[in-house]
Amino acid sequence: MEQSLAATLWRLAGLAALVCGTVVVVRFVWMFVTDWLAHPRRARADTRTAWREDVVLSWAGMRGVVSLAAALALPLTTASGALFQERDLLIFLTICVILVTLVGQGLTFPWVLRVLRVHGDGAEEQEEASAREVATQAARDRIEALSTDWPDHLPLIDTLRAQYAHRASHFDDRGSAADSPQSPTDSRGRSAAASAAEQELIEHRAIRHAVIEAERDALIDLRDRDEISDDVLRRIERDLDLEELRMEA
């Protein structure tokens, strides 16, 4: 009995290893062959990059709830009324494939990206930068219109105008850096002008954080000396917190 159980377990383990290995290998073969058929005359330099991307795409072939749903959808009996042979085995093998691909490959996916040094193409960052530039320009246009609608609030208008003009200057720095083929780059591939602009933004944010922290420390000191109540402290701190959120945005 024990030998029969052990033999059954070894058989199931062998079948699971065979099926899971086949699924992973077939995915690799499919990705590499289809990529080669789509680009048969790819340059050697591009090939070195493409194979790493093919490995990542192959490793990302993970199975989940759809595979399990397909296995569970198998009928219990055949058209003749007989039991569906090996239905439980198919469900077991499907679960094994899910564990290997979804759990095993899924948890090791970040490690594969680091080893192969595959990074994003920066398209999302470019999209965000473009959206911010459009929004900033819309704000500047609106400020100019408001300057005529609210002539009694020109100091505030001038402050906003200077703030958004300064923000727009950073977009100009990045754009000129991207258009210049001779722009030096840092270790992350960014141009020196873009890096300087980002560093300036970081320093400005640090300065504003320091100013807000000074306000917060002064308020806490007033509360500790019983010159203001906790309710007053909370209301003013709420405004400071909102200012920090606006600054981060």
Side-chain angles (χ1 to χ4, degrees), residues 208-228:
R208 295 174 68 181
H209 268 303
V211 172
I212 292 175
E213 284 303 315
E215 293 183 77
R216 184 174 285 110
D217 291 342
L219 291 171
I220 293 175
D221 182 64
L222 289 175
R223 192 277 312 275
D224 292 342
R225 290 189 281 113
D226 292 329
E227 296 186 23
I228 61 173

Side-chain angles (χ1 to χ4, degrees), residues 66-84:
V66 176
S67 301
L68 184 58
L72 293 174
L74 294 173
L76 296 175
T77 60
T78 64
S80 62
L83 291 177
F84 194 108

Side-chain angles (χ1 to χ4, degrees), residues 54-74:
D54 289 341
V55 171
V56 171
L57 291 174
S58 300
W59 201 254
M62 304 166 188
R63 279 76 181 172
V65 66
V66 176
S67 301
L68 184 58
L72 293 174
L74 294 173

Side-chain angles (χ1 to χ4, degrees), residues 10-37:
W10 277 108
R11 175 175 173 270
L12 291 176
L15 288 174
L18 178 61
V19 172
C20 294
T22 301
V23 168
V24 174
V25 171
V26 167
R27 171 77 178 185
F28 272 83
V29 172
W30 173 261
M31 292 304 305
F32 276 86
V33 171
T34 53
D35 187 29
W36 179 81
L37 290 176

Side-chain angles (χ1 to χ4, degrees), residues 76-106:
L76 296 175
T77 60
T78 64
S80 62
L83 291 177
F84 194 108
Q85 296 296 326
E86 307 296 352
R87 181 179 185 272
D88 293 339
L89 176 60
L90 291 175
I91 295 176
F92 167 76
L93 294 176
T94 301
I95 294 175
C96 290
V97 170
I98 293 173
L99 290 176
V100 169
T101 60
L102 192 61
V103 179
Q105 289 181 286

Side-chain angles (χ1 to χ4, degrees), residues 122-154:
E124 185 174 349
E125 289 78 6
Q126 291 292 335
E127 182 179 344
E128 179 183 350
S130 177
R132 288 182 182 274
E133 185 173 1
V134 171
T136 299
Q137 185 58 46
R140 297 180 70 187
D141 294 340
R142 184 59 176 161
I143 289 171
E144 296 304 322
L146 290 173
S147 65
T148 58
D149 296 339
W150 301 91
D152 296 335
H153 297 281
L154 291 181

Side-chain angles (χ1 to χ4, degrees), residues 1-10:
M1 182 66 180
E2 293 180 357
Q3 291 181 350
S4 177
L5 178 60
T8 301
L9 292 177
W10 277 108

